[in-house]
Amino acid sequence: MNKKTILMCPGPSEVHPEVLLAMAKPLVSHVDPSFFALLDQLQGQLKTIFQTENTCMLLPGTGTSGMEASLINFLDPGDKVLVGVIGHFGDRIRMIAERIGCNVKVVSAPEGKALNPEDVEISIKGFSPKLFACVHAETSTGVLQPLEDIMNICKKYEVLTLVDTVASLGGVNVPVDDLGIDIVYSGSQKCLGCPPGVAPISFSPRAERILESLAPRNYYLDLRLIRKYWLERAYHHTPPVSLFYACNKGFDLIIEEGLINRFERHRKVGLALQKGLEAMGFKLVAEKNVQNPVVTAVYLPAEIEDIKLRKILLEEFGIEIALGIAQLKGKIARFGTMAESARPQNVLYLLSALENILKRYGLFKEGGTDVASSML
Ligand SMILES: *Cc1c(COP(=O)(O)O)cnc(C)c1O
């Protein structure tokens, strides 16, 4: 099979060949001693990557399975939940909490902005929620939500915290224990640089106590039963063995690179892309001070139809990007610089392709590749 595209969308991202190769290893059963040893290794790797001492596991399914598991295992119908919504994925959390039958209140921010900690505090004071949930990297806008102040407010009012790190873990610092996050999940295919299909999850002793106190209302993503498999080897479901091999290798590569080096690589590459795009006249959706390095969203000039842009990039340049979703549908383009996609040559290639396209529309003013290459 010939590789035809470069993934510059916010997931899935490019996967290191060694990670792909790991999946070609022969299968063992989910009760093979070597597989149990792999589970122990994965837990250790996840603790390093989440920067936590809390329980860590991998769930079957993509990021959304982590989202659903994080809500359904810790909430009962009627529970008060405050959701920070700054885009599409925060809204997905709201929707799941509502489907559980929770009493849901939303605190939001204008397009391109992060939540204001004062607004969160006012909502917590007035509503007294059991749980506060928000998204760290809101992929629909490119906003990176600062967490420290908000998590401190939750601590002050003893509110349980849940953070979606699907688009940040492995690319941006997520110090779970320092921040005091109780429940956190991610997805394998974004900054973790693995194929899609697995959702890392971690939860604190406080969250575990809640887990024990509730009557289970779900089965496949029941964290009690999955934890029993990970810790006591009691069969619950057959995990995706090959994907676990891939994660083991992918997590190894992350730890080998070093978290700090990896965050710096993503920061540098993302910033170069953003400066390049701005030099070319694109306006970023996210406010400067909360711009995520790994997801960049830009407004498109009225002359350029988003679907056409995506088609040209894909068919002529072999670059896959993403477009707007929800309220931003039709208005923006989104670029991911995650995991193996976060490489200087990808950014320069994407920028020069965009320059070429702008020229066709007569919209070319200034190049962005020079600006970006001077920063890489
Ligand atoms: C991608 C993403 C999800 C959903 O993950 P899937 O793997 O598509 O299920 C959830 N939250 C955020 C912030 C995301 O970027």
Side-chain angles (χ1 to χ4, degrees):
M1 226 171 64
N2 290 320
K3 172 109 174 75
K4 291 200 292 278
T5 56
I6 298 170
L7 298 170
M8 296 297 285
C9 45
S13 40
E14 294 284 321
V15 174
H16 195 285
E18 280 187 48
V19 174
L20 294 175
L21 265 179
M23 288 195 294
K25 277 201 301 201
L27 289 182
V28 293
S29 102
H30 55 288
V31 292
D32 187 287
S34 72
F35 197 71
F36 287 146
L38 180 76
L39 295 184
D40 290 340
Q41 271 184 32
L42 285 165
Q43 282 181 77
Q45 292 174 314
L46 285 170
K47 284 184 179 184
T48 303
I49 295 168
F50 273 124
Q51 303 176 60
T52 187
E53 293 299 320
N54 296 340
T55 303
C56 294
M57 307 187 303
L58 292 176
L59 303 179
T62 60
T64 308
S65 108
M67 188 187 286
E68 188 149 277
S70 295
L71 292 161
I72 202 160
N73 282 281
F74 301 96
L75 294 170
D76 269 334
D79 279 348
K80 286 188 190 171
V81 179
L82 179 67
V83 186
V85 178
I86 56 170
H88 175 76
F89 290 103
D91 198 55
R92 187 176 286 188
I93 294 179
R94 173 199 60 77
M95 194 196 298
I96 295 175
E98 280 179 358
R99 286 185 181 196
I100 292 170
C102 296
N103 177 0
V104 181
K105 194 178 147 91
V106 164
V107 53
S108 57
E111 189 169 291
K113 288 187 194 273
L115 295 171
N116 179 348
E118 279 169 32
D119 293 344
V120 174
E121 181 154 15
I122 291 167
S123 300
I124 287 179
K125 267 189 181 161
F127 187 54
S128 306
K130 166 180 168 177
L131 174 87
F132 170 77
C134 71
V135 172
H136 186 211
E138 180 47 77
T139 321
S140 60
T141 60
V143 169
L144 187 70
Q145 173 66 51
L147 293 172
E148 202 177 326
D149 290 350
I150 292 176
M151 291 298 122
N152 282 336
I153 291 164
C154 290
K155 208 175 290 170
K156 181 170 152 196
Y157 294 92
E158 293 180 359
V159 176
L160 197 70
T161 53
L162 188 170
V163 179
D164 171 316
T165 64
V166 177
S168 53
L169 191 72
V172 180
N173 195 17
V174 185
V176 170
D177 284 356
D178 286 353
L179 288 167
I181 306 173
D182 289 296
I183 306 159
V184 56
Y185 60 88
S186 191
S188 50
Q189 80 276 23
K190 297 190 184 177
C191 296
L192 292 171
C194 297
V198 172
I201 189 168
S202 178
F203 40 96
S204 69
R206 177 160 71 146
E208 297 213 28
R209 284 194 291 278
I210 291 175
L211 186 65
E212 293 309 327
S213 72
L214 299 187
R217 280 176 304 103
N218 58 319
Y219 189 84
Y220 191 51
L221 293 176
D222 183 341
L223 293 177
R224 303 159 197 80
L225 297 176
I226 296 174
R227 187 182 51 182
K228 252 191 144 69
Y229 171 67
W230 278 74
L231 302 181
E232 296 166 35
R233 319 309 194 194
Y235 167 73
H236 169 251
H237 69 263
T238 311
V241 173
S242 304
L243 283 175
F244 279 23
Y245 291 159
C247 286
N248 187 226
K249 180 42 95 178
F251 297 167
D252 249 356
L253 294 178
I254 292 173
I255 294 163
E256 236 174 74
E257 180 174 5
L259 291 182
I260 292 171
N261 295 337
R262 194 172 171 94
F263 302 151
E264 177 56 18
R265 169 163 66 86
H266 283 83
R267 189 197 64 78
K268 199 170 163 185
V269 165
L271 189 64
L273 173 64
Q274 287 147 14
K275 292 288 177 208
L277 289 166
E278 283 187 313
M280 288 159 70
F282 286 106
K283 186 177 176 311
L284 302 177
V285 175
E287 249 187 6
K288 274 236 153 46
N289 57 336
V290 291
Q291 173 66 61
N292 186 349
V294 304
V295 184
T296 304
V298 295
Y299 292 106
L300 293 175
E303 296 89 335
I304 302 182
E305 195 202 348
D306 63 341
I307 294 167
K308 185 87 188 291
L309 174 70
R310 183 169 183 273
K311 190 172 148 73
I312 297 173
L313 283 170
L314 186 61
E315 289 179 0
E316 293 183 33
F317 295 91
I319 300 173
E320 175 88 52
I321 63 157
L323 301 175
I325 40 180
Q327 287 96 322
L328 287 165
K329 197 172 161 70
K331 297 185 197 162
I332 64 167
R334 295 179 300 136
F335 311 112
T337 40
M338 298 169 154
E340 289 307 306
S341 300
R343 300 286 174 197
Q345 61 269 37
N346 290 346
V347 165
L348 296 178
Y349 182 49
L350 172 63
L351 287 171
S352 51
L354 289 170
E355 283 172 13
N356 180 290
I357 295 166
L358 285 182
K359 279 179 190 158
R360 301 181 200 182
Y361 281 88
L363 295 170
F364 180 83
K365 289 180 222 114
E366 222 181 309
T369 29
D370 287 349
V371 173
S373 76
S374 73
M375 296 174 65
L376 289 165

